[in-house]
């Protein structure tokens, strides 16, 4: 199961840490950061940085990378 976490928050980093540590057997985790911070604290697991190019770009990325589960763990007011 490939999990994509829209991150940039403490909670997102903690969730990525749990998944990368094998909390859910067989799960692969990728965290996505907006790229606003010059030297971000990188979460465990795979990381990609930068916008997707809107909803269509995000949909393409999900298909291309065979994402099974998308978690929006960005800041609630972002
Ligand atoms: N605003 C706040 O108060 C606040 C506070 C703490 C943390 N943050 C974090 O800072 C980031 C940007 O927030 P914002 O308020 O400046 O902008 P935003 O309005 O939340 O997002 C603007 C654009 O940035 C890209 N983006 C945002 N989060 C992304 C992510 N996790 N991965 C890839 N692309 C992302 C998306 O571009 P595309 O449409 O091109 O994909 C989005 O349309 C968010 O991840 C948010 O959680 C914001």
């Amino acid at each position: 199961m490939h999990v994509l976490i829209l991150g940039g928050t403490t909670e997102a980093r903690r969730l990525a840490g749990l998944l990368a540590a094998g909390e859910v057997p067989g799960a692969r985790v990728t965290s996505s950061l907006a790229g606003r911070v010059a030297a971000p604290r990188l979460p465990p697991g795979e990381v990609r940085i930068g916008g997707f190019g809107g909803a269509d770009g995000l949909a393409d990325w999900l298909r291309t990378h065979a994402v099974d589960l998308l978690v929006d763990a960005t800041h609630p007011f972002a």
Side-chain angles (χ1 to χ4, degrees):
M1 179 175 65
H2 186 189
V3 182
L4 174 66
I5 301 173
L6 302 182
T9 59
T10 301
E11 291 81 2
R13 199 166 47 248
R14 286 173 57 193
L15 178 59
L18 289 172
L19 292 171
E23 190 79 16
V24 178
R28 166 188 168 199
V29 61
T30 303
S31 296
S32 176
L33 305 178
R36 303 281 189 281
V37 178
R41 281 184 62 192
L42 294 180
E46 298 169 51
V47 178
R48 67 162 301 283
I49 297 178
F52 293 91
D56 289 343
L58 174 59
D60 283 346
W61 203 97
L62 296 177
R63 279 190 217 100
T64 303
H65 295 84
V67 172
D68 301 293
L69 188 66
L70 171 67
V71 179
D72 183 353
T74 56
H75 188 276
F77 298 102

